[in-house]
Structure formats: structure tokens, C-alpha cells
Amino acid sequence: MPTLPKDTFDLVIAANRLPVDRVREGKRTVWRRSPGGLVTAMESVMSDRDGAWIGWAGVPGKAPAAFEQDGMWLHPIGLSEHEIRAYYEGFSNGSLWPLYHDVIVPPTFKRSWQAAYESVNRRFAQEIADLAAKNATVWIHDYQLQQVPQFLRELRPDLRIGWFNHIPFPPVELFMQLPARDSLLHGLLGSDFLGFQRRSDAQNFLRACRQLLAEDDVAVRGDVVHTSDGRECRAAAVPISIDAESMASLAATPEVQHRAREIREQLGNPEQLLLGVDRLDYTKGIRHRLKALEEMYREGALTATRTKFIQVATPSRERLEAYQHIKSEVEQTVGRINGEHSSFGAPPVTYLHRSFPREEMAALFVAADVMLVTPLRDGMNLVAKEYVAAHDRSGALVLSEFTGAANELKQAYLCNPHDISRTKRTILRALESAPDDRSRRMRAMHRQVLRHDVRHWAESFLTNLTVAPDRP
Ligand code: ADP
Ligand code: G6P
């Protein structure tokens, strides 16, 4: 393996996770693809570019040596067991994640978590400062790294710094609960450009600056925040997407088409197949979806032999209580539905709690007549876009109004997942609508996703960052 060149990267990506996790398989240690939409999107963007990616390797302890993969330098950051508890599980996923997702579960605030978050953010900043070439572009990702822009700016004022939020940015009335609110806003303002999923997220951020920061610290004019040291930081919506072309062509391969037919056969060739694919997270509305389906099976709107449902639920953040809670609720409900409605060897719900290769995911998308995407809040939801990319005229998408994707996929069967009765009616509408209505809707969404793909997103973000005003 070549040795790592120092100070030579014109593009540096920093995200909490590397695109691969270090995992033990028996006695061996191997690298396996990391979960989540951030990695799905950035992996395809970085396959076209040279650069370095800085992030955690997913296990406690010292950082493994940097290495090259597909033309990109992966530079692991070490996190101790304490830092994983306090920075990752604590501040990032116990305070920020629930606060930024409409307090679906109550956030917890602890001062020791905040201290760990700050110190890990400083470590990321130092690593970036060591790796970035003069005047390099640095693209920082997501809620785990909101103080990095400021710390990095202090170390390397020559860099062009951008940050993208993959999750929602909450309304100021919620954000102001956060004891660290000023530190995070100042942290983000170290950037030249801030990208958000929706216009309302960018507006929420600008409103938070206006209302919560002192007037002699910042002035907000339009979408630009002017800082007291004479810099400007712009905030705008740049909605993320997927590698739509590659999903569409994968879905069209004879192997995937064959596997899709096989999946349906294995389920006894149901008349209708419904599908849900989510990380097992309380934001995803899996419980609400199952409740709607349970009622529909009970009331006879769905018949267990004719309509089957597959729920893929990827394991996520398993040491956190809120995640253990949602997992047991989902498993109990699936057990109850199957207990009440199964015939021998033919349960109505197939529950798959593991990760699958891309080809298998594509086959599931192709096999499904109706995709159920019902989050209570989601920054974007790439699964919705993947389903749409895999279908050009068949299929139907039931989509929650509380996803970023609903801003773009307007021809979906939109629903409010909190309203179980209407969600049931929406699922029935999707199942029963005329083929030409479904096909018209799907064609429009397919075109939208192919046109606004992940490359378009990355180019928009980087163009916004490049044209950001020069520093004084
Ligand atoms: P989030 O980022 O919150 O997890 P998204 O829907 O935006 O949600 O992105 C999830 C990504 O993870 C998608 O690319 C989806 O295909 C992928 N994914 C979800 N579940 C699985 C699974 N069980 N196996 C493999 N990939 C999965
Ligand atoms: C979402 C977040 C990502 C995160 C991913 C998986 O997509 O926006 O930042 O990486 O979920 O979550 P995890 O906690 O396993 O990294």
C-alpha cells in the first residue's frame, strides 16, 4: 500500500462515519459498508473524485492506519469507549437527533456529553487541518460535526469550508431548548456555505441566528449571516439525491428481475406486495405503519393470503434505550399480526432485521407493488427515491408529508402518518388505483429523480461553496 501523502488533498470530506465500518468476522477483522443515507449518497459522489474522507471506523479504540479504497483516501479517527457513549450515543443521538426530529422522543441534555462533543469536533478539525492542501475545499457532513467549521477556520483560515445537514434543522422554538445552542450556531458560522435539505430548514437556521445570537455578533441579511470578524456565511437548500441511473440500470438487469419474481414466488405469489425499508429508528414511523396494516388485516380491507407485507429494518444504534424500545414494539406488533392472520407457513408480514447487498435491495424494490415510506420526520429519505428510480411506470409510492422527499415527489400518494385512518385510506387508494393513474404518477417521479440525481446535488453544493463570497 502506498504511504499516505501529507497536505496534498484539494478536497477533504469529513463525516462522523467512514463509508466502511471495521467489524470482526470470527477471528478476522474486515471492512463492511456503513449504514445510512449519508454513505449511500457520498459513496457515489466520491467515486468520481479524488480526495480524502475523514471519519470514525465504527469501533472503539485507536484509529487504524489510513488506507486507499476506490481511489479515495480513508482516514480513520479513533474514538474511545467513553467518547462513543458521550459524543456519539449521548450528544449526537441522545440530544441532537431527537431534538432535530421534532422531539418524537424527548431529548436528554448532559454537560459531560457536550464536553465530549466539543473535544471530538476539535479532533476532526485538527485532522482535516493536517490533511488539506493550501486553499483546499472541505465538505463537512451532518449534525455530529457542527462545531468543526469554527475550529477548522481557527486553524486554517485559507480553506473553503462547507457543511451539509442530512437531517432536518428544527424550528427555533425547539432548537432554543439546547443548552449548547450558541456554541453550535457559532460552530456552523465558521463555514462559507451551509446546505440544508429543505428551504424551511435553512430558514430555521437563519431565524435561530437572528433570534438567539447577539446583534453585535452577527447580522442576518436575506440568506447570508455576516459575522463580527467580517466574514459571510450563506445558508440555502440543496436537497440530496441518489445515483438514480445506477439504481435504474441495476433494477433492469435480468438477474434482479429474476430475483424479484423469485421473492414473490417465495411469498406464495401474492396479488399485492407491500414493502417498507428503514433503519430501525423511531423517526421512521414503522409503528404507525404497522398499526395501519394491522387494522386493515383485522377489518378485512386486506386479506392475509392475497396481500403480503415485507418490512426490512436495518439494526441501528442498538445500545440506546429508545432504539431498544422501538425494536421490541415493532417485533411485538409483527408477532401479533402474524399470530392472528397467518396460515401454515404463510405469514402476512415478513420481518427482516439485517442488511442486504444492493442487488437484493433492488430486487425488493422491483418486486413491491406499493412502497410504504411513512416517517414522522425525515430530512430527505433516500429509500423513496431508490424505489422510484427502480420503477419507470409500475409501482406506487405512499409517502409521508413529513419527509424532505415529499417536496420533490409530489405525485406520490401523500399521507400524514399520525392520522392512522387516512393513512389506511391512502394505502387502499395506492393499491386500488387504475394502472394508468399509477403509471402516470410513477413516470413523473422517475423523471424527477433521474434529472435531480446525486451528481446534480454534489455539483450544486460545491458550486454554492465555490461562489461563496471571498473572505476579507
Ligand atoms: P437514513 O439515512 O435515515 O438511514 P435513508 O432512507 O435516507 O435513511 O437512507 C437509507 C439508505 O440505507 C438507503 O440507501 C437504503 O437503501 C439503505 N438501506 C436501508 N436498509 C438497508 C438494508 N437492510 N440493507 C442494505 N441497505 C439498506
Ligand atoms: C442518518 C444520518 C447519518 C448516519 C446514518 C446512520 O443517515 O444522517 O449521519 O450516519 O443515519 O446512523 P449511524 O448512527 O449508524 O451512523
Side-chain angles (χ1 to χ4, degrees), residues 68 127 154 169 197 292 295 373 378 392 402-403:
E68 203 214 321
E127 296 284 345
E154 287 161 11
F169 197 90
Q197 299 281 25
E295 289 186 12
V373 178
D378 207 332
D392 49 5
F402 297 92
T403 60

Side-chain angles (χ1 to χ4, degrees), residues 15-17 21 34-39 56 88 93 97 101 141-144 165-167 197 279 281 284 315-317 323 378 382:
N16 174 57
R17 272 187 194 279
D21 274 344
S34 312
L38 186 158
V39 164
W56 173 47
Y88 168 69
N93 290 311
W97 181 269
H101 287 89
H141 291 265
D142 233 356
Y143 61 102
Q144 304 93 338
N165 197 28
H166 291 253
I167 70 172
Q197 299 281 25
R279 255 182 328 97
D281 194 299
K284 301 288 183 182
S316 188
R317 306 176 193 164
Y323 288 78
D378 207 332
L382 295 184

